[in-house]
Amino acid sequence: MAKTFLKYDKPLLTVMLQCETPEVAVGRIRNANALGGEAFGLQVESLKPEYHNPVVYRRIFAEMKGKPVYVTFYRVAHNRGLTDDELAEGLITLAESGATLCDVMGDMFCRHPEELTEDEEAIKKQIELIDKLHSLGAEVLMSSHIMKFTPAERVLQIALEQKRRGADIIKIVTGADNMEQQLENLKITNMLKNELDVPFLFLSGKVNSIHRRLGGHLGNCMTLCVYEHDALSTAAQPLLSTMKIIRDNLDF
């Protein structure tokens, strides 16, 4: 059966990996497999540059035992200083190496404060990159990290624009400064489920513990979690062990 993030019975428990070496990544993958991880997210920008090559990628992917892998190649960590064209080539290499789902930043080729460029030439290059990734057999997620509370109308606008550019999965990360905004983000998640006909991942930062844990029950196609927390992991991402209990036992 082909690996995919587009078909699922329950939101996929996707274990995120931010590691500087393949050895650490392999250890986390083995531990997560033992705990019931269903997919992996390899944030390749966290790997030291000497490990950015197909041999290493295929070695890491092989440890996932046939489970789908979501990859990012963001501008941060060890990718600081790379051009967006170089980042695009990095995604193509990852797709050629067997990545299931590639993350194309919404402001790739022209930066924008909401991480969704409005520059027509940049949009054209994004669409061409998405087409290239599709031709290599990869699925594509487009991400917009806004990182502040954003009203429902704007979130839906961004989602529809990501879809128009060819994304298979929509990813939007906003924020919440208080419980009221977090509850509004839960409502927005439910709204996206009703308005979109493609899988999506709507997340938030700051006040987010409820949103991160219940988003899958309201429509998110996956839950981003971690096997354990360390200096590189994203603190907002809950533990795999916690999310498996919540997802499999909370019925509403």
Short mmCIF file of all heavy atoms in Angstrom, two decimals, residues 28 33 42 86 145-146 154 179 199 207 214 223 232 236:
data_model
loop_
_atom_site.label_atom_id
_atom_site.label_comp_id
_atom_site.label_asym_id
_atom_site.label_seq_id
_atom_site.Cartn_x
_atom_site.Cartn_y
_atom_site.Cartn_z
N ARG A 28 15.19 8.00 18.00
CA ARG A 28 13.84 8.50 18.30
C ARG A 28 12.80 7.74 17.47
O ARG A 28 11.70 7.45 17.95
CB ARG A 28 13.77 9.99 18.00
CG ARG A 28 14.69 10.81 18.89
CD ARG A 28 13.91 11.85 19.69
NE ARG A 28 14.83 12.49 20.64
CZ ARG A 28 15.39 13.68 20.45
NH1 ARG A 28 15.11 14.36 19.37
NH2 ARG A 28 16.20 14.18 21.36
N ASN A 33 8.26 4.22 17.17
CA ASN A 33 7.61 3.05 16.58
C ASN A 33 7.10 2.12 17.67
O ASN A 33 5.99 1.57 17.58
CB ASN A 33 8.59 2.31 15.67
CG ASN A 33 8.59 2.86 14.26
OD1 ASN A 33 7.58 3.36 13.77
ND2 ASN A 33 9.72 2.76 13.58
N LEU A 42 10.18 14.82 9.62
CA LEU A 42 11.62 15.09 9.73
C LEU A 42 11.88 16.55 9.35
O LEU A 42 11.72 16.94 8.19
CB LEU A 42 12.41 14.15 8.81
CG LEU A 42 13.93 14.30 8.86
CD1 LEU A 42 14.47 13.96 10.25
CD2 LEU A 42 14.60 13.43 7.80
N GLU A 86 17.63 27.48 -3.25
CA GLU A 86 18.35 26.36 -2.67
C GLU A 86 17.45 25.51 -1.78
O GLU A 86 17.54 24.28 -1.77
CB GLU A 86 19.56 26.87 -1.89
CG GLU A 86 20.67 27.43 -2.77
CD GLU A 86 21.77 28.13 -1.99
OE1 GLU A 86 21.45 28.82 -1.00
OE2 GLU A 86 22.94 27.98 -2.38
N HIS A 145 2.98 30.26 8.65
CA HIS A 145 3.17 30.45 10.09
C HIS A 145 2.95 31.93 10.40
O HIS A 145 3.84 32.75 10.25
CB HIS A 145 4.57 30.01 10.51
CG HIS A 145 4.81 28.54 10.37
ND1 HIS A 145 5.10 27.96 9.15
CD2 HIS A 145 4.80 27.55 11.28
CE1 HIS A 145 5.28 26.66 9.33
NE2 HIS A 145 5.09 26.38 10.61
N ILE A 146 1.75 32.26 10.82
CA ILE A 146 1.40 33.65 11.12
C ILE A 146 1.82 34.01 12.54
O ILE A 146 2.26 35.12 12.81
CB ILE A 146 -0.11 33.86 10.93
CG1 ILE A 146 -0.55 33.42 9.53
CG2 ILE A 146 -0.48 35.34 11.17
CD1 ILE A 146 -2.04 33.37 9.34
N ARG A 154 -9.93 35.52 7.72
CA ARG A 154 -8.59 35.57 7.12
C ARG A 154 -7.99 34.17 7.05
O ARG A 154 -7.31 33.83 6.08
CB ARG A 154 -7.68 36.50 7.93
CG ARG A 154 -6.26 36.60 7.41
CD ARG A 154 -6.23 37.02 5.95
NE ARG A 154 -4.84 37.12 5.46
CZ ARG A 154 -4.51 37.05 4.15
NH1 ARG A 154 -5.46 36.90 3.23
NH2 ARG A 154 -3.25 37.15 3.79
N MET A 179 -7.33 32.43 26.82
CA MET A 179 -8.24 31.30 26.65
C MET A 179 -9.35 31.62 25.66
O MET A 179 -9.78 30.77 24.88
CB MET A 179 -8.83 30.89 27.99
CG MET A 179 -9.77 29.70 27.91
SD MET A 179 -9.00 28.20 27.21
CE MET A 179 -7.94 27.73 28.60
N PRO A 199 -7.59 18.01 3.06
CA PRO A 199 -7.08 17.88 4.43
C PRO A 199 -6.38 19.16 4.88
O PRO A 199 -5.81 19.89 4.06
CB PRO A 199 -6.10 16.71 4.33
CG PRO A 199 -6.48 15.97 3.10
CD PRO A 199 -7.00 17.00 2.16
N VAL A 207 -1.06 30.29 23.97
CA VAL A 207 -2.07 29.58 24.77
C VAL A 207 -2.72 28.54 23.85
O VAL A 207 -3.59 28.88 23.04
CB VAL A 207 -3.12 30.55 25.33
CG1 VAL A 207 -4.15 29.79 26.16
CG2 VAL A 207 -2.45 31.63 26.16
N LEU A 214 -6.95 18.77 21.02
CA LEU A 214 -8.28 18.45 20.52
C LEU A 214 -8.46 18.75 19.04
O LEU A 214 -9.50 18.40 18.47
CB LEU A 214 -9.34 19.22 21.32
CG LEU A 214 -9.44 18.91 22.81
CD1 LEU A 214 -10.63 19.63 23.42
CD2 LEU A 214 -9.54 17.41 23.06
N THR A 223 -1.90 14.91 14.05
CA THR A 223 -1.45 15.56 15.27
C THR A 223 0.07 15.56 15.27
O THR A 223 0.69 14.50 15.13
CB THR A 223 -1.95 14.81 16.52
OG1 THR A 223 -3.37 14.89 16.57
CG2 THR A 223 -1.37 15.41 17.78
N LEU A 232 15.85 21.02 21.25
CA LEU A 232 15.49 21.33 19.87
C LEU A 232 14.01 21.15 19.58
O LEU A 232 13.50 21.72 18.62
CB LEU A 232 16.31 20.47 18.90
CG LEU A 232 17.82 20.69 18.86
CD1 LEU A 232 18.46 19.78 17.82
CD2 LEU A 232 18.17 22.15 18.58
N ALA A 236 5.39 23.26 22.25
CA ALA A 236 3.94 23.18 22.13
C ALA A 236 3.46 21.83 21.65
O ALA A 236 2.28 21.49 21.82
CB ALA A 236 3.44 24.26 21.18
#
